Short mmCIF file of all heavy atoms in Angstrom, two decimals:
data_model
loop_
_atom_site.label_atom_id
_atom_site.label_comp_id
_atom_site.label_asym_id
_atom_site.label_seq_id
_atom_site.Cartn_x
_atom_site.Cartn_y
_atom_site.Cartn_z
N ALA A 79 -25.55 0.43 -34.54
CA ALA A 79 -24.79 0.10 -35.77
C ALA A 79 -24.57 1.31 -36.64
O ALA A 79 -23.63 1.34 -37.43
CB ALA A 79 -25.53 -0.99 -36.54
N ALA A 80 -25.44 2.33 -36.50
CA ALA A 80 -25.30 3.55 -37.30
C ALA A 80 -24.20 4.47 -36.78
O ALA A 80 -23.82 5.45 -37.49
CB ALA A 80 -26.63 4.29 -37.31
N LEU A 81 -23.66 4.20 -35.60
CA LEU A 81 -22.55 5.01 -35.09
C LEU A 81 -21.31 4.73 -35.94
O LEU A 81 -21.20 3.68 -36.61
CB LEU A 81 -22.28 4.65 -33.63
CG LEU A 81 -23.35 5.03 -32.63
CD1 LEU A 81 -23.03 4.40 -31.26
CD2 LEU A 81 -23.47 6.52 -32.50
N PRO A 82 -20.35 5.67 -35.96
CA PRO A 82 -19.14 5.43 -36.75
C PRO A 82 -18.46 4.10 -36.37
O PRO A 82 -18.51 3.65 -35.22
CB PRO A 82 -18.23 6.62 -36.36
CG PRO A 82 -19.20 7.68 -35.94
CD PRO A 82 -20.36 6.95 -35.29
N ALA A 83 -17.87 3.46 -37.39
CA ALA A 83 -17.21 2.17 -37.18
C ALA A 83 -16.26 2.20 -35.99
O ALA A 83 -15.51 3.14 -35.83
CB ALA A 83 -16.47 1.78 -38.47
N GLY A 84 -16.35 1.17 -35.17
CA GLY A 84 -15.46 1.05 -34.03
C GLY A 84 -15.93 1.72 -32.75
O GLY A 84 -15.38 1.47 -31.67
N THR A 85 -16.94 2.57 -32.86
CA THR A 85 -17.40 3.33 -31.68
C THR A 85 -17.91 2.43 -30.58
O THR A 85 -17.51 2.59 -29.42
CB THR A 85 -18.52 4.32 -32.09
OG1 THR A 85 -18.02 5.24 -33.08
CG2 THR A 85 -19.02 5.12 -30.89
N VAL A 86 -18.77 1.49 -30.91
CA VAL A 86 -19.34 0.62 -29.88
C VAL A 86 -18.26 -0.24 -29.26
O VAL A 86 -18.16 -0.32 -28.01
CB VAL A 86 -20.47 -0.27 -30.47
CG1 VAL A 86 -20.97 -1.27 -29.41
CG2 VAL A 86 -21.64 0.62 -30.92
N ASP A 87 -17.42 -0.87 -30.08
CA ASP A 87 -16.33 -1.71 -29.51
C ASP A 87 -15.44 -0.90 -28.59
O ASP A 87 -15.03 -1.39 -27.53
CB ASP A 87 -15.50 -2.32 -30.65
CG ASP A 87 -16.27 -3.40 -31.40
OD1 ASP A 87 -17.21 -3.97 -30.84
OD2 ASP A 87 -15.91 -3.66 -32.56
#
Side-chain angles (χ1 to χ4, degrees):
L81 292 171
T85 301
V86 174
D87 289 337

